[in-house]
Amino acid sequence: MTAPILRRQAPLQKLFCALALSILAVSSAQAAPLVEPTLHLKAEDGSSVGRVALTLDACGGQTDTRILSALVENRIPATIFVTGIWLKRNAAAVEIMRAHPDLFELENHGGHHIPAVDTLRKIYGIRSAGSPEAVQAEVESGAAALAGTGEPAPKWFRGATAEYSPSAIAMIRKLGFKVAGFSINGDGGSLLGAKETARRIAAAKDGDVIIAHINQPTHAAGEGVVQGLLALKAKGLMFVRLDDADGVGNDGTTD
């Protein structure tokens, strides 16, 4: 009678061991805190004009022409972080941006809009890259997609969700990119209403780096982005692209 009992217990023991290892792996992953880096512009010596940097993420989907048209009509420079996915779907918008090289700087938002986190987890419902190799693939495929448009090689990278594992930041820096944080979350991932989005953006001050989105044409936030930007312009603030200013980030993102 003993042998059959032992045979029945063996699979259970294996199952318990597997569960224990899974729990340990999840706990280890959760123990490593993620960072959401900030970015500010260095003060310019002798300048009395306040400067802000507008950065717009183009994650996927389409183009918010309300924002794009306002930028062109009002001569507002912007740094656009584009994914390979967005580039494939928005050729007309890319051509408009390329026709105005004095206004638009296109930078790397990854090939497939995957968070640059080298452990497995979900951030805002999006599955992370999950390994160093996958983080590297996301960064390099985004750069390759931009190269395919004829744009200059990107110098900045911003990952999906703008959250990173510290080790992923170190890897991205070794690949030659600065990591673009921000100081003002303008549209809450394009989920805020027009009024709150406009209020947040209009509150920007000298040295701030604004993040918002240009890929959600049906969201009310897009209207607020335009209103906030026009309010800043009316105050006399100067808009600069990241490549035209000295940006300083924390967590080893720019040094």
Side-chain angles (χ1 to χ4, degrees):
M1 294 296 291
T2 304
I5 292 174
L6 289 175
R7 282 197 295 269
R8 286 198 298 270
Q9 287 178 337
L12 286 175
Q13 290 172 342
K14 290 180 181 179
L15 176 61
F16 290 146
C17 287
L19 287 172
L21 288 172
S22 298
I23 292 169
L24 179 61
V26 170
S27 299
S28 298
Q30 290 176 342
L34 301 183
V35 295
E36 185 179 271
T38 61
L39 182 66
H40 290 86
L41 305 180
K42 273 188 179 179
E44 211 172 31
D45 292 338
S47 176
S48 60
V49 179
R51 300 179 308 150
V52 297
L54 171 64
T55 67
L56 295 169
D57 288 1
C59 311
Q62 303 303 316
T63 303
D64 192 332
T65 55
R66 296 170 296 181
I67 299 174
L68 182 57
S69 297
L71 296 178
V72 174
E73 291 168 8
N74 293 279
R75 309 298 300 164
I76 296 175
T79 302
I80 316 294
F81 283 90
V82 299
T83 66
I85 299 169
W86 186 87
L87 286 172
K88 288 180 181 178
R89 299 173 180 170
N90 294 273
V94 173
E95 285 307 309
I96 292 172
M97 292 175 185
R98 294 191 67 195
H100 298 278
D102 55 327
L103 295 181
F104 300 108
E105 165 194 342
L106 272 60
E107 296 290 350
N108 186 358
H109 197 31
H112 303 283
H113 199 247
I114 299 171
V117 174
D118 52 17
T119 53
L120 284 173
R121 65 181 79 191
K122 283 190 175 181
I123 304 115
Y124 301 119
I126 304 176
R127 187 181 295 276
S128 67
S131 70
E133 295 77 14
V135 171
Q136 182 172 342
E138 171 71 357
V139 176
E140 291 182 338
S141 61
L146 261 173
T149 68
E151 281 293 300
K155 300 175 183 177
W156 291 85
F157 176 81
R158 175 179 287 154
T161 75
E163 293 198 8
Y164 311 81
S165 49
S167 49
I169 289 176
M171 174 187 292
I172 295 164
R173 296 290 289 123
K174 286 181 180 178
L175 291 172
F177 297 93
K178 294 181 180 180
V179 178
F182 54 91
S183 60
I184 291 182
N185 185 338
D187 64 358
S190 193
L191 297 177
L192 295 176
K195 184 176 180 180
E196 176 61 14
T197 298
R199 185 194 69 78
R200 289 188 179 196
I201 292 176
K205 296 179 175 60
D206 182 33
D208 274 326
V209 176
I210 303 164
I211 182 176
H213 292 74
I214 195 171
N215 66 305
Q216 296 289 356
T218 64
H219 290 195
E223 178 185 345
V225 170
V226 174
Q227 293 172 355
L229 294 176
L230 294 182
L232 289 178
K233 185 179 180 184
K235 292 178 183 177
L237 269 75
M238 177 187 296
F239 292 92
V240 297
R241 304 175 303 182
L242 291 185
D243 266 358
D244 299 327
D246 194 0
V248 180
N250 61 353
D251 296 304
T253 52
T254 62
D255 54 12

